[in-house]
């Protein structure tokens, strides 16, 4: 008995030292520990997929992500499909939230002080110590072990046949439904040359899929700006939290590219005679409105902020001589959108004030030409 007690005490001390070394002294509530292995440091992962009730707390605290405020260009056309305003369907508070884009999932993760799992972390949490097994529990059939193969012709994508989190037994690490119920977003971007656009990895299979499609080894992908009724997410905490850029910076850079591509495509269509030049302004208005939420005429405010910053940077310069080129305008949109996403709650004029400060810090990178 004494020897057994000594062993237990020794193991407890070792475990405590491990926790201290990664900077966390207790397992966070609602998470489980995933030990190091396969070149992956120890980390924590949510026991369950993020639920409707949890996501509602996020949008209540962050109006930018509420159903009627979120930009379709970053959340997709089916964002929170089935919700009435900012309220999830009755009786589904413990169901995983679905129809969530990667951007929205990452924003939630950052808000709770976590991150989306890399696909290596996800696979480590799913497999446990069982290498080369089909599923999170082994090679046995997923029957009675996962929510899958529930598609019918009458299924509702507004109220999909998900199950409450915790409805099936956990795997050996204590992670529930890491396969089945809903696919889960991963942090990783799909890096394949022949796929146009930006896609991110999703893993695990869903209520829609067959047993074969629940196998851990399978990898899927989906556009970063869109959600599906089969796709949710869970979060992790690692020793190094800053695994990627924050979502405000990421979204503004992505939308900057989209606006730029939209303008280039519109100009190409005019030059090739596909659309009349008289429609060009209309095309510009559409791209700016869709990707930024602002009217094309808002560029006048961005111009004004730039000229005020130039005058502050060098009071001896006559700003009326400056010609603001299109590439500069694209950068102004990027800077402004990042401010907009970070400080959604403040007024437009306050955002423009922050933009002037941002321009002063980056003024040498804007390539402003004069002498129009």
């Amino acid at each position: 008995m004494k020897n057994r007690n000594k062993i237990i005490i020794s193991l407890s001390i070792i475990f405590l030292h491990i926790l201290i070394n990664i900077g966390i002294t207790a397992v966070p509530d609602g998470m489980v520990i995933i030990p190091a292995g396969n070149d992956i440091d120890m980390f924590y992962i949510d026991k369950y997929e993020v639920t409707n009730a949890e996501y509602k707390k996020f949008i209540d605290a962050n109006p930018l992500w509420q159903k009627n405020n979120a930009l379709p260009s970053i959340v997709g056309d089916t964002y929170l499909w089935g919700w009435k305003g900012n309220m999830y369907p009755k009786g589904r508070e413990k169901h995983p939230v679905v129809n969530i884009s990667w951007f929205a999932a990452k924003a939630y993760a950052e808000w709770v002080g976590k991150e989306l799992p890399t696909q290596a972390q996800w696979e480590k949490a799913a497999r446990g110590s069982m290498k080369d097994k089909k599923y999170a529990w082994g090679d046995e059939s997923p029957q009675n072990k996962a929510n899958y193969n529930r598609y019918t012709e009458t299924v509702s994508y507004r109220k999909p046949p998900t199950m409450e989190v915790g409805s099936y037994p956990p795997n050996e690490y204590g992670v529930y439904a890491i396969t089945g119920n809903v696919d889960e977003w991963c942090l990783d971007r799909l890096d394949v040359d022949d796929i146009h656009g930006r896609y991110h990895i999703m893993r695990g299979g869903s209520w829609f899929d067959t047993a074969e499609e629940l196998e851990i080894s399978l990898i899927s992908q989906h556009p970063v700006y869109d959600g599906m009724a089969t796709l949710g997410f869970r979060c992790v905490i690692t020793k190094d939290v800053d695994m990627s850029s924050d979502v405000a910076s990421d979204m503004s850079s992505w939308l900057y590219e989209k606006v730029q591509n939209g303008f280039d495509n519109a100009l190409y269509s005019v030059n090739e005679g596909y659309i009349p030049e008289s429609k060009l302004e209309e095309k510009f208005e559409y791209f700016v409105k869709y990707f930024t939420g602002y009217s094309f005429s808002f560029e006048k405010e961005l111009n004004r902020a730039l000229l005020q910053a130039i005058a502050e940077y060098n009071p001896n310069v006559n700003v009326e001589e400056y010609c603001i080129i299109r590439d500069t305008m694209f950068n102004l949109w990027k800077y402004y959108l990042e401010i907009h996403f970070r400080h959604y709650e403040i007024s437009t004029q306050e955002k423009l004030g922050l933009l002037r400060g941002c321009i002063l810090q980056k003024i040498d990178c804007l390539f402003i030409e004069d002498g129009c």
Side-chain angles (χ1 to χ4, degrees):
M1 179 67 73
K2 289 182 179 180
N3 288 337
R4 188 178 70 179
N5 289 340
K6 286 181 180 179
I7 292 171
I8 292 172
I9 292 171
S10 298
L11 290 174
S12 298
I13 292 172
I14 292 171
F15 185 67
L16 180 61
H17 276 298
I18 293 173
L19 291 175
I20 292 172
N21 285 338
I22 69 167
I24 302 173
T25 57
V27 178
D29 186 43
M31 306 189 84
V32 294
I33 190 168
I34 308 298
N38 300 328
D39 298 321
I40 300 173
D41 291 335
M42 180 165 58
F43 64 96
Y44 297 99
I45 193 167
D46 291 340
K47 288 181 182 179
Y48 311 113
E49 302 119 336
V50 174
T51 64
N52 284 318
E54 290 170 328
Y55 196 79
K56 175 173 169 50
K57 292 179 182 178
F58 165 64
I59 63 173
D60 285 346
N62 297 273
L64 170 67
W65 294 100
Q66 291 177 4
K67 188 172 181 178
N68 294 329
N69 293 336
L71 273 175
S73 55
I74 57 175
V75 296
D77 295 330
T78 62
Y79 181 59
L80 297 180
W81 215 15
W83 288 45
K84 292 184 178 180
N86 297 312
M87 186 64 194
Y88 49 79
K90 185 177 180 180
R92 296 175 74 87
E93 62 273 9
K94 293 184 180 179
H95 285 241
V97 66
V98 293
N99 290 306
I100 300 295
S101 72
W102 183 90
F103 285 129
K106 192 173 191 316
Y108 173 93
E110 290 181 6
W111 181 68
V112 295
K114 301 178 183 180
E115 182 57 284
L116 296 178
T118 65
Q119 68 165 325
Q121 289 173 332
W122 184 93
E123 185 158 337
K124 172 67 175 174
R127 285 195 181 281
S129 62
M130 297 182 293
K131 295 182 179 179
D132 302 322
K133 297 295 183 180
K134 287 184 178 181
Y135 307 111
W137 53 84
D139 289 328
E140 301 86 15
S141 165
Q143 187 174 3
N144 300 322
K145 293 182 174 66
N147 182 25
Y148 73 104
N149 207 25
R150 298 282 301 281
Y151 173 75
T152 67
E153 291 183 358
T154 59
V155 73
S156 170
Y157 289 98
R158 292 179 181 272
K159 194 176 180 180
T162 54
M163 297 287 287
E164 287 190 2
V165 298
S167 294
Y168 294 92
N171 71 359
E172 65 173 305
Y173 286 152
V175 184
Y176 290 78
I178 199 160
T179 49
N181 212 20
V182 292
D183 273 300
E184 299 178 10
W185 280 118
C186 291
L187 185 66
D188 314 53
R189 178 176 179 176
L190 186 70
D191 187 16
V192 180
D193 292 337
D194 62 350
I195 292 183
H196 298 289
R198 179 172 166 185
Y199 288 70
H200 277 253
I201 301 296
M202 59 183 194
R203 302 290 298 268
S206 74
W207 58 264
F208 183 94
D209 293 314
T210 63
E212 291 76 16
E213 291 168 318
L214 298 191
E215 294 184 16
I216 293 174
S217 60
L218 294 182
I219 300 174
S220 300
Q221 71 282 330
H222 196 64
V224 69
Y225 58 86
D226 191 33
M228 292 191 296
T230 57
L231 179 56
F233 68 101
R234 72 180 76 219
C235 305
V236 299
I237 293 177
T238 67
K239 181 179 179 181
D240 299 313
V241 177
D242 56 337
M243 292 187 289
S244 67
S245 64
D246 68 281
V247 73
S249 176
D250 194 5
M251 288 189 300
S252 61
S253 295
W254 186 75
L255 291 172
Y256 150 80
E257 293 177 5
K258 289 296 181 182
V259 173
Q260 188 176 44
N261 289 340
F263 272 62
D264 290 344
N265 290 337
L267 289 170
Y268 175 81
S269 296
V270 169
N271 292 335
E272 294 297 314
Y274 300 137
I275 63 173
E277 189 170 355
S278 60
K279 294 286 186 180
L280 194 57
E281 190 84 3
E282 184 180 321
K283 283 285 187 180
F284 289 167
E285 177 70 35
Y286 169 78
F287 286 118
V288 171
K289 186 68 175 178
Y290 182 76
F291 289 115
T292 73
Y294 287 86
S295 171
F296 185 34
S297 62
F298 189 69
E299 288 197 350
K300 295 177 182 177
E301 299 297 329
L302 302 182
N303 288 343
R304 187 176 295 113
L306 174 61
L307 295 177
Q308 289 172 347
I310 292 171
E312 184 175 345
Y313 180 76
N314 186 353
N316 297 320
V317 170
N318 182 2
V319 294
E320 294 181 359
E321 296 179 355
Y322 273 82
C323 174
I324 302 173
I325 63 175
R326 175 50 52 185
D327 284 348
T328 298
M329 285 307 309
F330 291 141
N331 278 307
L332 291 179
W333 274 116
K334 180 169 64 174
Y335 301 155
Y336 182 80
L337 286 173
E338 185 168 351
I339 292 167
H340 172 76
F341 293 138
R342 291 186 193 281
H343 306 284
Y344 183 80
E345 71 286 351
I346 68 176
S347 70
T348 299
Q349 289 306 311
E350 289 174 306
K351 292 173 188 174
L352 289 168
L354 293 176
L355 176 63
R356 289 193 293 273
C358 177
I359 292 170
L360 284 169
Q361 294 178 353
K362 303 173 184 282
I363 203 163
D364 292 333
C365 302
L366 285 173
F367 307 106
I368 304 161
E369 295 183 352
D370 59 1
C372 286

